[in-house]
């Protein structure tokens, strides 16, 4: 039933992370769900995965836009500058609690971004993301 090997949630809101993890595990769409609470933590996590034989690089990243210090767009800039977009077939969906037009237009600059998920994560939103990727 698993469609993905690994989903990474990057969000500073611990309650949202736990809620999203429950939705993902109940949907049985991924073998592994990981969580990071900051951009720095997520980038360190991805760097460690690149040399790992045990844990697959994420197929999907659910990325919060608004986080303290570094935000979701800072993550995307670093993700691209580190070349992850060229070495991995990961797609990213942005977590948002608002629908600011500026966020939509900024996200369109990154070909790995496949859409937006309104918080909190729901099964229909999750299945929509997977469907958009042909999964």
């Amino acid at each position: 039933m698993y469609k993905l090997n690994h989903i990474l949630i990057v969000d500073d809101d611990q309650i949202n992370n736990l809620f999203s993890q429950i939705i993902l595990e109940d949907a049985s769409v991924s073998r592994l769900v990981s969580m990071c609470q900051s951009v720095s933590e997520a980038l360190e996590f991805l760097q460690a995965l690149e040399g790992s034989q045990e844990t697959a690089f994420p197929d999907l990243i659910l990325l919060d836009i608004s986080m303290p210090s570094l935000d979701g767009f800072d993550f995307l800039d670093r993700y691209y500058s580190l070349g992850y977009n060229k070495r991995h077939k990961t797609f990213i969906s942005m977590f948002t609690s608002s629908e600011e037009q500026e966020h939509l237009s900024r996200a369109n600059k990154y070909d790995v971004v496949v859409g937006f998920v309104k918080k909190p994560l729901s099964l229909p939103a999750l299945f929509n993301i997977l469907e958009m990727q042909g999964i």
Side-chain angles (χ1 to χ4, degrees):
M1 173 111 189
Y2 296 121
K3 298 175 183 211
L4 302 173
N5 286 315
H6 189 186
I7 296 175
L8 172 62
I9 302 166
V10 182
D11 192 341
D12 62 312
D13 183 338
Q14 192 169 11
I15 293 170
N16 190 61
N17 285 346
L18 292 173
F19 184 80
S20 297
Q21 182 179 21
I22 291 167
I23 293 287
L24 292 167
E25 289 174 354
D26 283 351
S28 297
V29 295
S30 183
R31 295 185 204 294
L32 175 65
V33 176
S34 301
M35 292 180 286
C36 294
Q37 289 190 277
S38 71
V39 167
S40 299
E41 181 186 354
L43 292 170
E44 289 173 18
F45 180 74
L46 293 177
Q47 183 179 16
L49 288 182
E50 276 218 304
S52 173
Q53 299 293 328
E54 298 169 19
T55 305
F57 203 84
D59 303 297
L60 169 64
I61 298 174
L62 298 173
L63 177 63
D64 186 21
I65 293 176
S66 300
M67 291 182 278
S69 185
L70 300 172
D71 67 15
F73 291 106
D74 293 320
F75 175 88
L76 286 168
D77 289 341
R78 285 164 175 76
Y79 187 89
Y80 272 71
S81 70
L82 292 167
Y84 292 138
N85 61 311
K86 292 184 174 141
R87 291 193 301 278
H88 301 282
K89 294 186 189 298
T90 302
F91 56 99
I92 298 174
S93 187
M94 307 292 279
F95 257 146
T96 182
S97 48
S98 69
E99 293 185 22
E100 292 185 34
Q101 191 60 40
E102 177 196 345
H103 290 162
L104 295 170
S105 56
R106 281 181 74 189
N108 286 335
K109 296 176 184 170
Y110 303 93
D111 60 347
V112 297
V113 175
V114 296
F116 286 79
V117 176
K118 192 102 163 129
K119 288 183 185 183
L121 181 63
S122 66
L123 282 174
L126 172 63
F127 292 135
N128 186 44
I129 293 166
L130 298 175
E131 189 178 302
M132 286 179 1
Q133 291 306 301
I135 297 171

